[in-house]
Amino acid sequence: MIVKNYRRFKRMLTEDFRVYLGARDKKPLPRQVFEIYRLHKLYGYLPYQYLKHSLYLKKYGKEIYRYLPTELLHVTRDRVNSAADLALVDDKLLFEERIRAAGLRTTNTLFQLQRQAISDMAGKRVTYVDFVATIEALELPDGVIIKPLSGGSGSAVFKLRATDGVLYYKGQALGEADFDTLIFTTNNGFYWTDFIVQETISQHPDVARFNPTSVNTVRIDTFIDEAGRVHFNAAALKVGSPGSITDNSSTGGYMIAIDLETGRFLTGAKTEARFGGKYHDLRTVFGIEPSTFTMPFWQALRETASRAAETVAPFRSLGWDIAITPAGPLVVEANSDYGIDVLQELAGGYVDKALGRSYLDRHPARKERILEALQ
């Protein structure tokens, strides 16, 4: 907890405060001081959300009280997940097996990698030559993706193709030693000892319009209440930065709020503070007209997320990444330690979302004061 709070404070000073300094149309300083003090009194916690969500801008009135301190949401999430085994979502093979057993479409893992060792899904060792030949024989239109068995957040992810018995990365031919060096020493690969090789997902052409080099997934966070009902807090389309093979906002990507009911866009494309922290016009950046664009298979995606959430109980609060393919939704992964802050901003606060209500219901006096402030 101390390390997490230190990192948050560091980000606040190095990233979010920089956005604050460059912002125009801020409220008068005395007003900002009063609101920070009021938020601290209401939530009993450092009101980091005031800076993180640009609540100092004049356009925000009483709705500033809709935004909870992110750390309180994290604590609530971790509390309701305390009975769950983290390995179920952290280990991509265990997760893939559970989701597939539920009859849901998910990723397709082909091989497992360790340093100087390649194994098929039965655990049998294969040579590098046979590994390359198998990938080529599959004739995968988008090649393969190699990623850490657990975690990653966009690090140590590689996209490769096989042609004429040779494996290529960014157009460069890889021998066996080159391959091993690439995976285990570059792009932070040295942090992991186990990797997996998956078939690259072919996304729906409407979604590929945003960025054809990354699989642009929908992040949707679910919350299961005490009665076992699945609720959606927020949803956003994640889009990779130009040329990126990952859609993570932490590597320069965008997040665009999606209306949970209609599948239509609610905001522009938001970048993290370290990349400017701005909302970008969808027409300018992607050539997309938001007034007419609807996410394909939206209702099917909602149903997929709900069924998937029920499948991994006793987890109750997760952030899901779901791809949209020409055949419909495909579950990529679930995240137990996902970033709630961007989703909360895109949703206009979590005070009336299931996760936020779970926190407030445990603090009735505080809840009463917050709801009063919103009147």
Side-chain angles (χ1 to χ4, degrees), residues 49-329:
Q49 73 273 26
Y50 193 77
L51 191 61
K52 183 68 179 175
H53 303 311
S54 303
L55 302 180
Y56 46 77
L57 295 177
K58 289 180 180 177
K59 67 179 182 178
Y60 291 104
K62 290 182 178 180
E63 63 267 29
I64 67 169
Y65 303 118
R66 294 176 52 82
Y67 296 78
L68 283 73
T70 307
E71 199 56 42
L72 298 183
L73 292 172
H74 287 168
V75 169
T76 303
R77 175 200 63 196
D78 296 344
R79 176 182 59 80
V80 300
N81 286 341
S82 60
D85 181 0
L86 292 178
L88 178 57
V89 295
D90 289 347
D91 185 310
K92 293 180 175 65
L93 292 179
L94 290 177
F95 177 77
E96 189 177 88
E97 181 181 2
R98 175 68 68 91
I99 295 299
R100 185 172 290 120
L104 296 170
R105 299 176 67 236
T106 187
T107 50
N108 184 30
T109 300
L110 306 170
F111 293 95
Q112 303 176 67
L113 305 178
Q114 291 182 319
R115 197 73 188 251
Q116 298 179 338
I118 305 172
S119 304
D120 63 19
M121 296 313 295
K124 180 183 177 181
R125 290 286 183 92
V126 298
T127 66
Y128 181 72
V129 172
D130 288 342
F131 168 66
V132 176
T134 300
I135 292 174
E136 184 174 1
L138 290 172
E139 297 183 341
L140 302 172
D142 297 299
V144 295
I145 284 285
I146 299 178
K147 61 178 71 170
L149 174 63
S150 60
S153 297
S155 291
V157 178
F158 309 90
K159 187 175 184 178
L160 298 94
R161 294 176 180 272
T163 305
D164 297 328
V166 179
L167 199 61
Y168 290 90
Y169 175 67
K170 293 184 176 180
Q172 180 180 352
L174 300 176
E176 185 171 0
D178 301 322
F179 173 74
D180 194 73
T181 299
L182 172 71
I183 303 303
F184 291 96
T185 67
T186 64
N187 195 17
N188 296 321
F190 49 82
Y191 284 116
W192 291 275
T193 58
D194 296 88
F195 285 77
I196 55 174
V197 181
Q198 294 182 335
E199 178 180 340
T200 298
I201 298 165
S202 296
Q203 63 188 335
H204 193 286
D206 285 353
V207 182
R209 291 171 59 192
F210 291 86
N211 184 1
T213 64
S214 61
V215 177
N216 308 306
T217 61
V218 171
R219 166 63 59 84
I220 183 166
D221 64 329
T222 57
F223 185 89
I224 300 179
D225 63 24
E226 298 285 354
R229 293 183 295 262
V230 178
H231 302 265
F232 301 124
N233 295 302
L237 178 64
K238 298 166 57 185
V239 180
S241 58
S244 174
I245 63 170
T246 65
D247 62 359
N248 300 75
S249 60
S250 59
T251 56
Y254 307 87
M255 292 187 74
I256 311 166
I258 303 173
D259 185 288
L260 285 166
E261 297 301 322
T262 66
R264 306 289 288 269
F265 291 129
L266 296 172
T267 67
K270 177 75 163 61
T271 56
E272 289 198 4
R274 75 184 80 171
F275 302 105
K278 296 180 179 178
Y279 285 88
H280 300 266
D281 186 85
L282 302 186
R283 303 173 192 84
T284 303
V285 179
F286 306 115
I288 299 292
E289 175 51 59
S291 65
T292 58
F293 186 90
T294 301
M295 293 298 295
F297 294 106
W298 183 247
Q299 292 306 318
L301 186 144
R302 283 171 51 100
E303 293 167 10
T304 295
S306 184
R307 286 179 57 195
E310 294 170 339
T311 296
V312 295
F315 279 104
R316 293 177 52 198
S317 179
L318 291 169
W320 296 85
D321 289 338
I322 301 178
I324 302 177
T325 75

